[in-house]
Amino acid sequence: MQVSVETTQGLERRITIAIPADKIDAEVKKQVGQRARTVRMDGFRPGKVPLSLVEKRFGPAIRQDVVMEQMQRHYVEAIMQEKINPAGAPRFEAKADEPGKDFEFVAITEVYPEIELKDLDKVAVDKPVAEVTDADLDKMLETLRKQNAGWKAVKRGAKDGDRVTMDFVGRVDGEEFEGGKAEDFALEMGQGRMIPGFEDGVKGAKTGEEKTIEVTFPEDYHAENLKGKKAEFDLTIKSVEGPDLPKLDDEFANQFGIADGGLEGLKVEVRKNMERELATAIKNKVKQQVIKGLLAANGEVPVPNAMKQQEVDVLRQQALQRFGGDAKNMPELPAELFEEQAIERVKVGLLLGEVIRTNDIKVDDARVESLIETTASAYEDPQQVVEYYKQNQELMQQVRNVALEEQAIELILEKAQVSENAVSFDDVMNPPAK
């Protein structure tokens, strides 16, 4: 087998491979003979069809199959011989294919870039340090009470957080308009569901009260005939209810499946969940900074087009899944929407892969177990989840990949410039919007 390799542009390689004629011809002859033993033709008994007739009818198709199989096999042998590390599937182009002559073809593929990691000691990380305090726990329990609140009638005027049930009729220029009338409409105050000014007009209203309020529809309102229009709404307030928070007691704890320990048991579980979420959030913030620093220090990483396209396809599929419904019947989202993110993800993967390779990092089985147990702890039956993971090889491989990535991140952290910053639970979990 003769092989020559040409660098065309960037990461692309053209591998020209010549296969001796006798290899192709011998395999074609062999398969024609096998076909002759089973083929049926009018006028001949099974297995007695002359080879010349079999070859005439089936030879071209058999040769095509043989050539394709030989290209695949010799391509693999060639990249091993030339120590080429392909980054995607090759594209084959036949140059010459004549019986009795050597078969020559070109395999066009991309290779992984050669990466020399730089300036890991210049990666800067601001690591948040936080803990779950008793005040944080109390705040979370209060949130749970609000999420499980009922409603009770109040005699005072309506305010934010109340539920007001009403009938209303809207008019523009003295005429009722479509969609401007409702009965027994329940409005939770402070949610911002209504047009500007509507809730302000309801504030202070009491059960049984009738009133008329004036509002102006926004200029960008969805109904063309109402854009920027002034309107009047006649309101009949049927009820004003305030939130009825449940007591923080053992009965409340039972709603969350706490079989033992009552309220104190609930507090233990809630704190445990908060600590797990806090640890995950801190880990993610640190990881993002490490990756940002890694990219900044090694920004000029050539990206194989095949890997970029593969990542685009993953991102496109994820986007379709977020839309819901039948993704197969939705139009294909343009690649340009995902290209920038795909390139960055490929660069990160290549850089972390080089960290793993150059430092000979092996998967830590104990870490894999810990990751599975952490995930399982959020479920009612953790052991069942652990067993499910261990019986699913695909899931196990995903966890191993996560563990390996974490080990690479930690190795970079050992070399990076890390400063610790004491912050609160809320600072980490609910950072202000930028």
Side-chain angles (χ1 to χ4, degrees), residues 192-250:
R193 291 172 53 196
M194 310 300 284
I195 60 175
F198 193 97
E199 286 193 19
D200 290 336
V202 176
K203 283 181 180 178
K206 297 181 179 180
T207 301
E209 184 177 343
E210 295 183 0
K211 63 186 300 188
T212 299
I213 63 174
E214 294 183 357
V215 297
T216 301
F217 282 93
E219 293 291 343
D220 59 352
Y221 194 67
H222 62 85
E224 192 69 32
N225 63 316
L226 298 176
K227 289 182 177 180
K229 293 282 188 178
K230 291 185 178 181
E232 290 183 338
F233 284 89
D234 294 331
L235 311 180
T236 300
I237 308 301
K238 291 188 168 182
S239 67
V240 178
E241 300 168 297
D244 184 17
L245 297 178
K247 291 183 179 179
L248 201 57
D249 55 17
D250 291 349

Side-chain angles (χ1 to χ4, degrees), residues 389-401:
Y389 266 81
K390 291 186 176 181
Q391 293 171 11
N392 188 313
Q393 289 302 313
E394 185 177 348
L395 280 178
M396 287 298 295
Q397 188 56 51
Q398 290 176 7
V399 179
R400 290 189 188 98
N401 291 342

Side-chain angles (χ1 to χ4, degrees), residues 132-200:
V132 178
T133 66
D134 290 343
D136 295 324
L137 177 60
D138 291 342
K139 186 176 179 180
M140 183 61 71
L141 291 171
E142 190 64 19
T143 298
L144 292 176
R145 289 181 70 204
K146 291 177 180 177
Q147 290 173 348
N148 291 272
W151 299 100
K152 64 178 179 180
V154 295
K155 296 181 178 180
R156 55 171 171 74
K159 64 179 184 178
D160 283 350
D162 289 344
R163 182 172 70 177
V164 180
T165 302
M166 70 185 86
D167 297 341
F168 64 75
V169 178
R171 297 184 303 278
V172 171
D173 298 329
E175 299 290 333
E176 293 185 20
F177 57 90
E178 185 178 356
K181 184 177 182 179
E183 294 182 353
D184 295 325
F185 181 79
L187 172 64
E188 290 191 30
M189 300 288 287
Q191 300 291 316
R193 291 172 53 196
M194 310 300 284
I195 60 175
F198 193 97
E199 286 193 19
D200 290 336

Side-chain angles (χ1 to χ4, degrees), residues 12 22 28 34 38 43-44 66 80 125 130 147 168 173 178 189 221 246 287 309 314 328 331 335 361 419 424 430:
E12 187 180 272
D22 57 354
V28 170
Q34 291 172 343
T38 59
F44 298 95
V66 168
M80 293 176 64
V125 175
Q147 290 173 348
F168 64 75
D173 298 329
E178 185 178 356
M189 300 288 287
Y221 194 67
K287 176 183 173 181
Q309 188 55 52
V314 171
K328 293 182 180 179
I361 301 175
S419 58
S424 69
N430 303 298

